[in-house]
Amino acid sequence: MKRTGWLVLAALFAAAAPAQETSAPVANPVSTTVKNQLPRFSKNMVAAAESMPADKYGFKPTPEMNSFGHLVIHIVQSNNLLCSKISGATAPDAKLADTDGKDKLVASLKASFDFCTTALANVDDSKLGESLVLFGNRPSTRAAALIGLSDGWNDHYGAQAIYLRLNGILPPSAHPAPK
């Protein structure tokens, strides 16, 4: 019985050893995490915008809510502003209106994610405590902007998914995985 106990204990240590080796500290954990989220959100949010039919870009779940097209504009503006503030890069001048068509809005959304990819490429955690101004004249930090960017992607994709579902369209992340 003792021998079996030692074998089980040895097996547990052997199984735990590889896990300990793979849990090495990550350099720049905050910026790396957000940069790792970017491809997934870019793929899903652009696919959501592409999935909504052009004639539904004016769709509002209730009269008080923004249209789907306005939501896409908001995502573009948020990406451009926050990625610019975080990186110090000049934001693209995206002039968009609620009356713009699907093609222009989808192209602008793709461009905003391309801008974020480029702008965030050299961002690390060393300047996260630096002060900056967000949304008018509100003092903030680069860390708050980076967290806000990530939070925004979650919030905005959730809104896109609801708008799609209300129109009988399955959101991109809800599609079954290919076999």
Side-chain angles (χ1 to χ4, degrees):
M1 185 71 159
K2 285 184 181 181
R3 186 175 189 156
T4 304
W6 283 110
L7 287 173
V8 169
L9 188 58
L12 287 174
F13 278 117
Q20 290 172 350
E21 290 173 21
T22 61
S23 63
V26 174
N28 305 301
V30 178
S31 57
T32 298
T33 298
V34 174
K35 287 190 268 187
N36 287 341
Q37 293 174 333
L38 198 149
R40 178 173 43 97
F41 278 107
S42 174
K43 175 184 164 198
N44 285 333
M45 294 170 85
V46 169
E50 291 172 336
S51 296
M52 183 65 89
D55 65 333
K56 295 288 186 175
Y57 263 62
F59 170 75
K60 296 179 173 186
T62 68
E64 300 81 20
M65 294 178 73
N66 290 320
S67 68
F68 185 82
H70 188 84
L71 174 60
V72 173
I73 292 170
H74 178 71
I75 296 166
V76 170
Q77 292 170 339
S78 176
N79 281 352
N80 288 341
L81 172 75
L82 291 172
C83 290
S84 172
K85 293 287 188 173
I86 293 162
S87 68
T90 302
D93 188 20
K95 301 241 188 265
L96 300 172
D98 287 346
T99 54
D100 288 334
K102 174 182 174 175
D103 291 341
K104 181 176 181 179
L105 296 180
V106 170
S108 295
L109 182 61
K110 288 177 183 177
S112 76
F113 278 108
D114 289 344
F115 170 68
C116 283
T117 299
T118 302
L120 298 181
N122 295 320
V123 170
D124 61 29
D125 292 4
S126 66
K127 297 180 182 177
L128 292 182
E130 288 184 1
S131 295
L132 51 81
V133 176
L134 288 178
F135 312 115
N137 61 354
R138 288 186 12 214
S140 191
T141 62
R142 286 186 200 282
L146 199 58
I147 292 167
L149 179 65
S150 174
D151 287 352
W153 290 335
N154 282 288
D155 180 50
H156 298 141
Y157 180 66
Q160 284 181 303
I162 290 168
Y163 281 53
L164 290 172
R165 285 189 183 272
L166 288 172
N167 282 281
I169 302 166
L170 195 61
S173 60
H175 289 264
K179 294 183 179 189

